[in-house]
Amino acid sequence: MRHDDHPGGDAAQRTTQAGRWFMLLGVITCAGMLFLSGFFAMRARELAWQATMQASENLTATLEREVSSTATVHDLSLKRVIANLTTAGLKQANPQLRQVALFDSLAASERPGTVLVLDTSDNVKLDSLGWPPRPANFADCDYFQLHRERPDLGLYISRVVADRFTGQPELVLSRRISRPDGGFAGVVVETLETSDFQELFEHLNVGQHGLISLVETNGHIAARQPFVARDLDLDISGTPDFTSVRQT
């Protein structure tokens, strides 16, 4: 009878060993599935991050071209006004005709600003909004001092300032007016409200946690989306993000 027990014992032992192998195989399979799941999850996250970075770079390039194009268009307006100032007989022309001759280039701009011609004392001499010009003096503005002292300055873009007439935040683009002998003859300026850039940004979907900021080279915020009024002209020049961007 004891000899009859051995086959059954061997079978039980083999069954136990098989069960252990199946259990080990199950553990290995589960571990493999967890590894593959983690790998694919990390890969999907990496691809999503790369897609996000690419989209961000494309958006940045598009906005950079738009802002650069806007500055170029307004700079051309300033140059044309300066050129038109030398038109023969302009000073003797009818004020209405003079307005048309001086500021006709503004009509071609999608976002025309207000152009002022300032004399050597920085008083408003001519105003694109009409004749007679609105009285104001801008002698305390940095661009007046810079253009008077530096004939080679070229186009100068101010930091965000409050408009003298409306109080709205704006950027001021300016160029020097020189006499034929190179002497200082005044400044021509064009004001560009920051709301124009704000309107551009509002048409962009940046997501729930997205942020777009137009930052001047001196580190001051000129516009941002979502809009936060207190952040206008905020100085972020000392932040790591700004330092990183300046170094690229």
Side-chain angles (χ1 to χ4, degrees):
M1 296 295 293
R2 296 181 62 85
H3 291 290
D4 295 336
D5 292 339
H6 288 298
D10 292 341
Q13 185 177 3
R14 288 194 297 270
T15 300
T16 301
Q17 290 176 345
R20 290 174 179 172
W21 279 109
F22 279 121
M23 182 179 297
L24 179 60
L25 180 60
V27 171
I28 293 174
T29 301
C30 289
M33 292 178 64
L34 288 174
F35 172 78
L36 289 175
S37 297
F39 172 79
F40 285 120
M42 291 180 63
R43 181 58 177 165
R45 184 175 181 180
E46 180 182 351
L47 292 174
W49 174 254
Q50 291 176 354
T52 300
M53 290 298 294
Q54 185 63 51
S56 177
E57 291 175 0
N58 292 340
L59 178 59
T60 299
T62 299
L63 290 175
E64 183 179 356
R65 287 193 297 269
E66 178 70 20
V67 172
S68 177
S69 176
T70 298
T72 299
V73 168
H74 289 285
D75 188 28
L76 287 174
S77 294
L78 295 178
K79 291 179 178 179
R80 288 170 182 166
V81 170
I82 293 175
N84 290 340
L85 285 170
T86 63
T87 302
L90 182 67
K91 292 182 180 180
Q92 295 76 29
N94 177 281
Q96 284 70 31
L97 294 177
R98 183 173 55 201
Q99 289 290 115
V100 173
L102 277 176
F103 306 117
D104 62 333
S105 61
L106 299 181
S109 175
E110 293 183 4
R111 300 183 180 91
T114 300
V115 175
L116 303 173
V117 177
L118 311 176
D119 62 21
T120 54
S121 298
D122 224 0
N123 293 309
V124 179
K125 182 178 179 181
L126 295 165
D127 185 346
S128 66
L129 292 187
W131 178 266
R134 294 166 295 174
N137 182 276
F138 295 80
D140 59 330
C141 297
D142 59 347
Y143 52 81
F144 177 75
Q145 306 295 337
L146 289 170
H147 284 299
R148 183 173 61 182
E149 298 169 4
R150 296 177 52 186
D152 60 339
L153 181 60
L155 176 68
Y156 180 75
I157 303 177
S158 76
R159 58 185 290 183
V160 177
V161 296
D163 186 278
R164 289 293 173 90
F165 303 107
T166 66
Q168 295 298 313
E170 65 183 10
L171 296 172
V172 179
L173 289 74
S174 59
R175 275 190 172 274
R176 172 189 170 106
I177 304 172
S178 297
R179 296 195 301 266
D181 62 0
F184 180 65
V187 177
V188 59
V189 304
E190 183 167 7
T191 61
L192 186 60
E193 293 187 359
T194 58
S195 59
D196 290 341
F197 294 107
Q198 198 65 48
E199 181 181 350
L200 171 65
F201 291 170
E202 287 174 355
H203 286 84
L204 302 173
N205 182 9
V206 297
Q208 183 177 0
H209 303 291
L211 171 65
I212 299 177
S213 295
L214 175 62
V215 184
E216 302 170 55
T217 54
N218 61 7
H220 289 260
I221 295 178
R224 59 156 286 174
Q225 171 65 19
F227 176 73
V228 178
R230 67 175 179 273
D231 284 350
L232 287 181
D233 202 33
L234 179 67
D235 185 0
I236 62 170
S237 59
T239 63
D241 288 342
F242 182 79
T243 302
S244 176
V245 171
R246 286 296 302 269
Q247 292 175 347
T248 57

